[in-house]
Amino acid sequence: YETFHSTNQTEINAEEERVAQENIRKEQNEEYSLSLEADRAKEQQRLQQQRQMEEKQHLEKRKAEEKVKFEEVVQRSYSDQVLAEPSSGEISSIRIRTPKNENIIRKFPANSPIRSLFNYVASLGYFPEKFKIMSSFPRQDLSTMDHSLTFKQTKGLFPSC
């Protein structure tokens, strides 16, 4: 009886151990599957975020390119409106300091409207929405003045500024 019982107990122990190992393997496989699924979901999310980022960058780049093209067209239209620099007659000599700290001296007919100054500055790529033109003395903001006034009519711009 003891031999049978010990053999039977050994077989029972072996079976219990096999079942326990099988349960462990099942748990490990389930955990592995869950982990693999979570990793795939994370990878999908990362790829989606990367695609969205690339699309956003592409859109921003395209917008920037369109803005540059638009500004070039606007700049050309202002260039077409710039009066030729006079060599004689009543002349108003204007010194322009750009945001890059460059000084440009440009002559305008004294009887031309100050709009021609704005057109000239815009033809250089400095658009009216992005800058103000100030006279040095008396200090005044020309951007707020009537642009149809001539250099001669505007205090401080004739004969030079």
Side-chain angles (χ1 to χ4, degrees), residues 71-83 96 104 106 108 115-128 131:
E71 287 179 351
E72 287 173 353
V73 169
V74 170
Q75 187 174 353
R76 269 187 260 132
S77 75
Y78 279 114
S79 295
D80 294 342
Q81 298 174 31
V82 172
L83 301 172
I96 302 162
I104 300 170
R106 176 72 155 81
F108 295 90
R115 178 181 317 105
S116 58
L117 172 62
F118 284 87
N119 291 343
Y120 175 72
V121 172
S123 75
L124 299 174
Y126 304 107
F127 300 110
F131 68 87

mmCIF file of all heavy atoms in Angstrom, residues 71-83 96 104 106 108 115-128 131:
data_model
loop_
_atom_site.group_PDB
_atom_site.id
_atom_site.type_symbol
_atom_site.label_atom_id
_atom_site.label_comp_id
_atom_site.label_asym_id
_atom_site.label_seq_id
_atom_site.Cartn_x
_atom_site.Cartn_y
_atom_site.Cartn_z
ATOM 1 N N GLU A 71 4.355 87.787 -50.666
ATOM 2 C CA GLU A 71 5.134 88.990 -50.365
ATOM 3 C C GLU A 71 5.958 89.430 -51.571
ATOM 4 O O GLU A 71 6.136 90.624 -51.805
ATOM 5 C CB GLU A 71 6.026 88.765 -49.140
ATOM 6 C CG GLU A 71 5.230 88.738 -47.839
ATOM 7 C CD GLU A 71 6.086 88.484 -46.618
ATOM 8 O OE1 GLU A 71 7.284 88.148 -46.744
ATOM 9 O OE2 GLU A 71 5.533 88.615 -45.497
ATOM 10 N N GLU A 72 6.452 88.467 -52.356
ATOM 11 C CA GLU A 72 7.194 88.814 -53.575
ATOM 12 C C GLU A 72 6.282 89.514 -54.573
ATOM 13 O O GLU A 72 6.679 90.495 -55.205
ATOM 14 C CB GLU A 72 7.809 87.561 -54.202
ATOM 15 C CG GLU A 72 8.982 87.009 -53.438
ATOM 16 C CD GLU A 72 9.471 85.666 -53.972
ATOM 17 O OE1 GLU A 72 8.823 85.079 -54.878
ATOM 18 O OE2 GLU A 72 10.508 85.188 -53.484
ATOM 19 N N VAL A 73 5.055 89.006 -54.725
ATOM 20 C CA VAL A 73 4.095 89.631 -55.636
ATOM 21 C C VAL A 73 3.763 91.039 -55.160
ATOM 22 O O VAL A 73 3.749 91.995 -55.953
ATOM 23 C CB VAL A 73 2.811 88.764 -55.756
ATOM 24 C CG1 VAL A 73 1.705 89.509 -56.469
ATOM 25 C CG2 VAL A 73 3.121 87.461 -56.462
ATOM 26 N N VAL A 74 3.512 91.174 -53.865
ATOM 27 C CA VAL A 74 3.193 92.493 -53.300
ATOM 28 C C VAL A 74 4.389 93.426 -53.476
ATOM 29 O O VAL A 74 4.226 94.588 -53.874
ATOM 30 C CB VAL A 74 2.786 92.369 -51.816
ATOM 31 C CG1 VAL A 74 2.678 93.732 -51.152
ATOM 32 C CG2 VAL A 74 1.479 91.605 -51.689
ATOM 33 N N GLN A 75 5.572 92.910 -53.224
ATOM 34 C CA GLN A 75 6.782 93.731 -53.346
ATOM 35 C C GLN A 75 6.942 94.205 -54.800
ATOM 36 O O GLN A 75 7.273 95.359 -55.043
ATOM 37 C CB GLN A 75 8.013 92.937 -52.895
ATOM 38 C CG GLN A 75 9.270 93.762 -52.842
ATOM 39 C CD GLN A 75 10.442 92.977 -52.251
ATOM 40 O OE1 GLN A 75 10.283 91.870 -51.771
ATOM 41 N NE2 GLN A 75 11.611 93.557 -52.297
ATOM 42 N N ARG A 76 6.688 93.305 -55.763
ATOM 43 C CA ARG A 76 6.771 93.694 -57.172
ATOM 44 C C ARG A 76 5.735 94.767 -57.505
ATOM 45 O O ARG A 76 6.019 95.699 -58.255
ATOM 46 C CB ARG A 76 6.581 92.480 -58.084
ATOM 47 C CG ARG A 76 7.907 91.826 -58.430
ATOM 48 C CD ARG A 76 7.751 90.738 -59.456
ATOM 49 N NE ARG A 76 7.764 89.500 -58.677
ATOM 50 C CZ ARG A 76 6.910 88.512 -58.775
ATOM 51 N NH1 ARG A 76 5.953 88.532 -59.642
ATOM 52 N NH2 ARG A 76 6.996 87.444 -58.002
ATOM 53 N N SER A 77 4.532 94.628 -56.922
ATOM 54 C CA SER A 77 3.501 95.625 -57.215
ATOM 55 C C SER A 77 3.911 96.984 -56.644
ATOM 56 O O SER A 77 3.667 98.018 -57.268
ATOM 57 C CB SER A 77 2.141 95.187 -56.670
ATOM 58 O OG SER A 77 2.067 95.341 -55.289
ATOM 59 N N TYR A 78 4.537 96.994 -55.485
ATOM 60 C CA TYR A 78 5.038 98.254 -54.939
ATOM 61 C C TYR A 78 6.188 98.780 -55.794
ATOM 62 O O TYR A 78 6.290 99.985 -56.027
ATOM 63 C CB TYR A 78 5.503 98.095 -53.488
ATOM 64 C CG TYR A 78 4.389 98.124 -52.473
ATOM 65 C CD1 TYR A 78 4.090 96.991 -51.718
ATOM 66 C CD2 TYR A 78 3.644 99.263 -52.251
ATOM 67 C CE1 TYR A 78 3.067 97.011 -50.773
ATOM 68 C CE2 TYR A 78 2.619 99.298 -51.312
ATOM 69 C CZ TYR A 78 2.335 98.170 -50.584
ATOM 70 O OH TYR A 78 1.335 98.188 -49.656
ATOM 71 N N SER A 79 7.044 97.906 -56.272
ATOM 72 C CA SER A 79 8.166 98.325 -57.112
ATOM 73 C C SER A 79 7.663 99.005 -58.379
ATOM 74 O O SER A 79 8.280 99.957 -58.871
ATOM 75 C CB SER A 79 9.033 97.125 -57.493
ATOM 76 O OG SER A 79 9.634 96.577 -56.364
ATOM 77 N N ASP A 80 6.537 98.512 -58.907
ATOM 78 C CA ASP A 80 5.966 99.105 -60.116
ATOM 79 C C ASP A 80 5.458 100.520 -59.863
ATOM 80 O O ASP A 80 5.338 101.313 -60.796
ATOM 81 C CB ASP A 80 4.821 98.237 -60.654
ATOM 82 C CG ASP A 80 5.307 96.879 -61.157
ATOM 83 O OD1 ASP A 80 6.522 96.738 -61.401
ATOM 84 O OD2 ASP A 80 4.458 95.964 -61.297
ATOM 85 N N GLN A 81 5.150 100.835 -58.603
ATOM 86 C CA GLN A 81 4.599 102.149 -58.259
ATOM 87 C C GLN A 81 5.670 103.161 -57.844
ATOM 88 O O GLN A 81 5.362 104.322 -57.620
ATOM 89 C CB GLN A 81 3.587 101.997 -57.119
ATOM 90 C CG GLN A 81 2.399 101.137 -57.468
ATOM 91 C CD GLN A 81 1.513 100.901 -56.258
ATOM 92 O OE1 GLN A 81 1.414 101.737 -55.371
ATOM 93 N NE2 GLN A 81 0.857 99.746 -56.221
ATOM 94 N N VAL A 82 6.928 102.702 -57.745
ATOM 95 C CA VAL A 82 8.004 103.593 -57.294
ATOM 96 C C VAL A 82 8.355 104.577 -58.406
ATOM 97 O O VAL A 82 8.547 104.196 -59.563
ATOM 98 C CB VAL A 82 9.248 102.780 -56.881
ATOM 99 C CG1 VAL A 82 10.431 103.693 -56.595
ATOM 100 C CG2 VAL A 82 8.934 101.934 -55.671
ATOM 101 N N LEU A 83 8.410 105.854 -58.026
ATOM 102 C CA LEU A 83 8.780 106.899 -58.971
ATOM 103 C C LEU A 83 10.284 106.861 -59.220
ATOM 104 O O LEU A 83 11.061 106.480 -58.340
ATOM 105 C CB LEU A 83 8.391 108.270 -58.408
ATOM 106 C CG LEU A 83 6.912 108.494 -58.090
ATOM 107 C CD1 LEU A 83 6.723 109.827 -57.372
ATOM 108 C CD2 LEU A 83 6.094 108.444 -59.359
ATOM 109 N N ILE A 96 16.658 106.808 -45.018
ATOM 110 C CA ILE A 96 15.855 105.722 -44.451
ATOM 111 C C ILE A 96 16.787 104.773 -43.706
ATOM 112 O O ILE A 96 17.785 104.308 -44.267
ATOM 113 C CB ILE A 96 15.123 104.945 -45.575
ATOM 114 C CG1 ILE A 96 14.246 105.906 -46.377
ATOM 115 C CG2 ILE A 96 14.307 103.799 -44.997
ATOM 116 C CD1 ILE A 96 13.838 105.361 -47.715
ATOM 117 N N ILE A 104 19.791 104.263 -46.135
ATOM 118 C CA ILE A 104 19.556 104.428 -47.569
ATOM 119 C C ILE A 104 19.118 105.873 -47.773
ATOM 120 O O ILE A 104 18.220 106.368 -47.087
ATOM 121 C CB ILE A 104 18.445 103.475 -48.058
ATOM 122 C CG1 ILE A 104 18.847 102.024 -47.805
ATOM 123 C CG2 ILE A 104 18.143 103.719 -49.525
ATOM 124 C CD1 ILE A 104 17.723 101.035 -48.025
ATOM 125 N N ARG A 106 17.452 108.383 -50.443
ATOM 126 C CA ARG A 106 16.647 108.342 -51.667
ATOM 127 C C ARG A 106 16.056 109.714 -51.898
ATOM 128 O O ARG A 106 15.598 110.375 -50.954
ATOM 129 C CB ARG A 106 15.541 107.286 -51.508
ATOM 130 C CG ARG A 106 14.566 107.182 -52.644
ATOM 131 C CD ARG A 106 15.248 106.535 -53.855
ATOM 132 N NE ARG A 106 14.338 105.878 -54.768
ATOM 133 C CZ ARG A 106 13.611 106.475 -55.695
ATOM 134 N NH1 ARG A 106 13.636 107.770 -55.832
ATOM 135 N NH2 ARG A 106 12.837 105.758 -56.490
ATOM 136 N N PHE A 108 13.216 112.173 -53.747
ATOM 137 C CA PHE A 108 11.849 112.159 -54.262
ATOM 138 C C PHE A 108 11.502 113.555 -54.755
ATOM 139 O O PHE A 108 11.966 114.560 -54.178
ATOM 140 C CB PHE A 108 10.857 111.776 -53.154
ATOM 141 C CG PHE A 108 11.023 110.372 -52.643
ATOM 142 C CD1 PHE A 108 11.873 110.115 -51.573
ATOM 143 C CD2 PHE A 108 10.339 109.321 -53.232
ATOM 144 C CE1 PHE A 108 12.034 108.826 -51.100
ATOM 145 C CE2 PHE A 108 10.500 108.022 -52.763
ATOM 146 C CZ PHE A 108 11.342 107.774 -51.698
ATOM 147 N N ARG A 115 3.073 108.962 -50.148
ATOM 148 C CA ARG A 115 2.755 107.580 -50.482
ATOM 149 C C ARG A 115 3.926 106.957 -51.278
ATOM 150 O O ARG A 115 4.226 105.786 -51.148
ATOM 151 C CB ARG A 115 1.469 107.505 -51.305
ATOM 152 C CG ARG A 115 1.085 106.121 -51.726
ATOM 153 C CD ARG A 115 -0.189 106.045 -52.585
ATOM 154 N NE ARG A 115 -1.273 106.886 -52.127
ATOM 155 C CZ ARG A 115 -1.650 108.043 -52.705
ATOM 156 N NH1 ARG A 115 -1.027 108.488 -53.774
ATOM 157 N NH2 ARG A 115 -2.650 108.743 -52.216
ATOM 158 N N SER A 116 4.594 107.798 -52.096
ATOM 159 C CA SER A 116 5.714 107.285 -52.889
ATOM 160 C C SER A 116 6.858 106.808 -51.986
ATOM 161 O O SER A 116 7.565 105.863 -52.325
ATOM 162 C CB SER A 116 6.203 108.328 -53.888
ATOM 163 O OG SER A 116 6.586 109.513 -53.225
ATOM 164 N N LEU A 117 7.028 107.433 -50.819
ATOM 165 C CA LEU A 117 8.025 106.973 -49.847
ATOM 166 C C LEU A 117 7.635 105.601 -49.311
ATOM 167 O O LEU A 117 8.458 104.689 -49.235
ATOM 168 C CB LEU A 117 8.157 107.980 -48.699
ATOM 169 C CG LEU A 117 9.012 107.558 -47.506
ATOM 170 C CD1 LEU A 117 10.454 107.324 -47.924
ATOM 171 C CD2 LEU A 117 8.936 108.610 -46.408
ATOM 172 N N PHE A 118 6.347 105.440 -48.972
ATOM 173 C CA PHE A 118 5.872 104.145 -48.476
ATOM 174 C C PHE A 118 6.008 103.066 -49.551
ATOM 175 O O PHE A 118 6.402 101.939 -49.260
ATOM 176 C CB PHE A 118 4.420 104.257 -47.989
ATOM 177 C CG PHE A 118 4.299 104.932 -46.663
ATOM 178 C CD1 PHE A 118 4.194 106.310 -46.573
ATOM 179 C CD2 PHE A 118 4.309 104.187 -45.496
ATOM 180 C CE1 PHE A 118 4.092 106.927 -45.342
ATOM 181 C CE2 PHE A 118 4.209 104.792 -44.261
ATOM 182 C CZ PHE A 118 4.106 106.176 -44.188
ATOM 183 N N ASN A 119 5.692 103.423 -50.793
ATOM 184 C CA ASN A 119 5.842 102.460 -51.893
ATOM 185 C C ASN A 119 7.300 102.048 -52.067
ATOM 186 O O ASN A 119 7.603 100.873 -52.281
ATOM 187 C CB ASN A 119 5.306 103.035 -53.197
ATOM 188 C CG ASN A 119 3.811 103.195 -53.199
ATOM 189 O OD1 ASN A 119 3.117 102.614 -52.371
ATOM 190 N ND2 ASN A 119 3.303 103.999 -54.113
ATOM 191 N N TYR A 120 8.194 103.029 -51.961
ATOM 192 C CA TYR A 120 9.620 102.722 -52.104
ATOM 193 C C TYR A 120 10.093 101.784 -50.988
ATOM 194 O O TYR A 120 10.758 100.782 -51.243
ATOM 195 C CB TYR A 120 10.455 104.008 -52.100
ATOM 196 C CG TYR A 120 11.933 103.729 -52.123
ATOM 197 C CD1 TYR A 120 12.542 103.240 -53.266
ATOM 198 C CD2 TYR A 120 12.718 103.910 -50.996
ATOM 199 C CE1 TYR A 120 13.906 102.939 -53.291
ATOM 200 C CE2 TYR A 120 14.065 103.627 -51.001
ATOM 201 C CZ TYR A 120 14.652 103.135 -52.153
ATOM 202 O OH TYR A 120 15.987 102.831 -52.170
ATOM 203 N N VAL A 121 9.722 102.104 -49.750
ATOM 204 C CA VAL A 121 10.141 101.272 -48.613
ATOM 205 C C VAL A 121 9.549 99.861 -48.759
ATOM 206 O O VAL A 121 10.230 98.865 -48.519
ATOM 207 C CB VAL A 121 9.750 101.924 -47.272
ATOM 208 C CG1 VAL A 121 10.008 100.992 -46.105
ATOM 209 C CG2 VAL A 121 10.523 103.225 -47.079
ATOM 210 N N ALA A 122 8.302 99.771 -49.208
ATOM 211 C CA ALA A 122 7.674 98.458 -49.413
ATOM 212 C C ALA A 122 8.355 97.707 -50.541
ATOM 213 O O ALA A 122 8.465 96.476 -50.501
ATOM 214 C CB ALA A 122 6.188 98.630 -49.696
ATOM 215 N N SER A 123 8.839 98.423 -51.548
ATOM 216 C CA SER A 123 9.539 97.751 -52.654
ATOM 217 C C SER A 123 10.857 97.138 -52.191
ATOM 218 O O SER A 123 11.396 96.245 -52.831
ATOM 219 C CB SER A 123 9.792 98.718 -53.807
ATOM 220 O OG SER A 123 10.847 99.610 -53.496
ATOM 221 N N LEU A 124 11.360 97.615 -51.050
ATOM 222 C CA LEU A 124 12.572 97.039 -50.455
ATOM 223 C C LEU A 124 12.256 95.797 -49.617
ATOM 224 O O LEU A 124 13.151 95.120 -49.145
ATOM 225 C CB LEU A 124 13.284 98.073 -49.564
ATOM 226 C CG LEU A 124 13.774 99.341 -50.246
ATOM 227 C CD1 LEU A 124 14.323 100.315 -49.218
ATOM 228 C CD2 LEU A 124 14.823 99.018 -51.297
ATOM 229 N N GLY A 125 10.948 95.524 -49.428
ATOM 230 C CA GLY A 125 10.541 94.349 -48.670
ATOM 231 C C GLY A 125 10.052 94.658 -47.270
ATOM 232 O O GLY A 125 9.763 93.755 -46.496
ATOM 233 N N TYR A 126 9.937 95.940 -46.942
ATOM 234 C CA TYR A 126 9.435 96.343 -45.629
ATOM 235 C C TYR A 126 8.005 96.852 -45.825
ATOM 236 O O TYR A 126 7.789 97.973 -46.262
ATOM 237 C CB TYR A 126 10.327 97.427 -45.013
ATOM 238 C CG TYR A 126 11.770 97.010 -44.922
ATOM 239 C CD1 TYR A 126 12.736 97.549 -45.764
ATOM 240 C CD2 TYR A 126 12.174 96.046 -44.010
ATOM 241 C CE1 TYR A 126 14.059 97.150 -45.688
ATOM 242 C CE2 TYR A 126 13.495 95.640 -43.929
ATOM 243 C CZ TYR A 126 14.426 96.200 -44.774
ATOM 244 O OH TYR A 126 15.735 95.803 -44.701
ATOM 245 N N PHE A 127 7.045 96.002 -45.526
ATOM 246 C CA PHE A 127 5.650 96.315 -45.817
ATOM 247 C C PHE A 127 5.044 97.218 -44.760
ATOM 248 O O PHE A 127 5.393 97.137 -43.581
ATOM 249 C CB PHE A 127 4.853 95.019 -45.964
ATOM 250 C CG PHE A 127 5.386 94.153 -47.072
ATOM 251 C CD1 PHE A 127 6.032 92.963 -46.783
ATOM 252 C CD2 PHE A 127 5.282 94.549 -48.386
ATOM 253 C CE1 PHE A 127 6.550 92.181 -47.800
ATOM 254 C CE2 PHE A 127 5.792 93.783 -49.405
ATOM 255 C CZ PHE A 127 6.431 92.590 -49.109
ATOM 256 N N PRO A 128 4.098 98.078 -45.176
ATOM 257 C CA PRO A 128 3.521 99.087 -44.281
ATOM 258 C C PRO A 128 2.931 98.517 -42.989
ATOM 259 O O PRO A 128 2.944 99.191 -41.967
ATOM 260 C CB PRO A 128 2.420 99.736 -45.121
ATOM 261 C CG PRO A 128 2.815 99.481 -46.532
ATOM 262 C CD PRO A 128 3.568 98.185 -46.518
ATOM 263 N N PHE A 131 5.943 98.176 -40.268
ATOM 264 C CA PHE A 131 6.867 99.233 -39.873
ATOM 265 C C PHE A 131 6.129 100.555 -39.733
ATOM 266 O O PHE A 131 4.972 100.694 -40.141
ATOM 267 C CB PHE A 131 8.010 99.384 -40.876
ATOM 268 C CG PHE A 131 7.566 99.920 -42.215
ATOM 269 C CD1 PHE A 131 7.491 101.275 -42.443
ATOM 270 C CD2 PHE A 131 7.229 99.058 -43.243
ATOM 271 C CE1 PHE A 131 7.077 101.777 -43.661
ATOM 272 C CE2 PHE A 131 6.820 99.543 -44.458
ATOM 273 C CZ PHE A 131 6.744 100.911 -44.678
#
